[in-house]
């Protein structure tokens, strides 16, 4: 489970970094996470909104449906457990499907998760530069 979650978070981090760059924001200047040498604190901040609905939900569902199994993991020399090629391919396929799925923003509009990440980056920029109200993304039904 931890290997799949970690891998999923890295995929999400890549998407969030891209969205921040598209919005013209510097990913290392964080608001909630501490800034550090080469740590993308702002990306970690924005990631928090999407960890549960994108990565956690996909990984838990994949284990419950037996799409991710012990056979899709391997043990490294250092004793760590990692996804093998089959596990990474499975998880990437599931994450791509999730990024394309629509979800409702608390403000009432619906977009695919990938577009919601980009929208939130743009809204974050407006909040910083224009002192606009920022509404974080959370699952809204």
């Amino acid at each position: 489970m931890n290997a799949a979650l970690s891998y999923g978070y890295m995929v999400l981090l890549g998407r969030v970094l891209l969205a921040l760059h598209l919005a013209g924001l510097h990913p290392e200047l964080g608001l909630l996470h501490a800034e550090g040498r080469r740590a993308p604190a702002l990306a970690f901040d924005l990631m928090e909104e999407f960890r549960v609905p994108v990565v956690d939900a996909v990984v838990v569902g994949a284990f419950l449906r037996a799409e991710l199994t012990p056979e899709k993991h391997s043990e490294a020399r250092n004793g760590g457990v990692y996804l093998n090629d089959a596990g990474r391919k499975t998880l990437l396929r599931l994450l791509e499907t999730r990024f394309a799925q629509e979800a409702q923003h608390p403000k009432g509009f619906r977009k695919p998760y990938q577009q919601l990440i980009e929208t939130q980056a743009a809204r974050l920029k407006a909040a910083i530069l224009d002192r606009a109200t920022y509404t974080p993304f959370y699952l809204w039904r």
Side-chain angles (χ1 to χ4, degrees):
M1 180 77 75
N2 284 340
L5 287 170
S6 293
Y7 189 75
Y9 295 149
M10 288 297 99
V11 172
L12 178 59
L13 177 61
R15 298 292 180 105
V16 169
L17 284 168
L18 177 60
L20 290 172
H21 284 292
L22 289 172
L25 293 172
H26 194 296
E28 293 181 10
L29 302 176
L31 301 169
L32 303 173
H33 286 83
E35 296 171 19
R37 186 170 181 245
R38 296 186 181 238
L42 189 60
F44 295 153
D45 293 347
L46 187 55
M47 264 182 73
E48 292 298 330
E49 298 177 30
F50 296 96
R51 285 167 56 116
V52 172
V54 174
V55 177
D56 296 3
V58 166
V59 169
V60 169
F63 276 99
L64 290 174
R65 291 185 307 275
E67 292 177 276
L68 287 177
T69 60
E71 293 77 30
K72 293 188 177 178
H73 292 75
S74 60
E75 197 167 323
R77 289 184 186 175
N78 65 4
V81 175
Y82 300 91
L83 291 175
N84 60 24
D85 286 343
R88 286 190 299 273
K89 286 178 185 176
T90 297
L91 186 52
L92 280 174
R93 177 181 48 79
L94 295 170
L95 287 170
E96 286 300 323
T97 299
R98 180 58 125 208
F99 283 123
Q101 287 177 340
E102 282 194 352
Q104 185 167 330
H105 190 279
K107 289 286 195 180
F109 57 86
R110 295 183 64 82
K111 290 184 178 185
Y113 279 104
Q114 180 59 48
Q115 289 179 17
L116 284 170
I117 293 169
E118 294 166 7
T119 297
Q120 288 303 98
R123 292 173 64 84
L124 182 57
K125 179 180 180 178
I128 293 168
L129 297 179
D130 304 330
R131 297 184 185 205
T133 302
Y134 182 78
T135 303
F137 174 78
Y138 54 89
L139 287 180
W140 181 259
R141 300 213 185 254

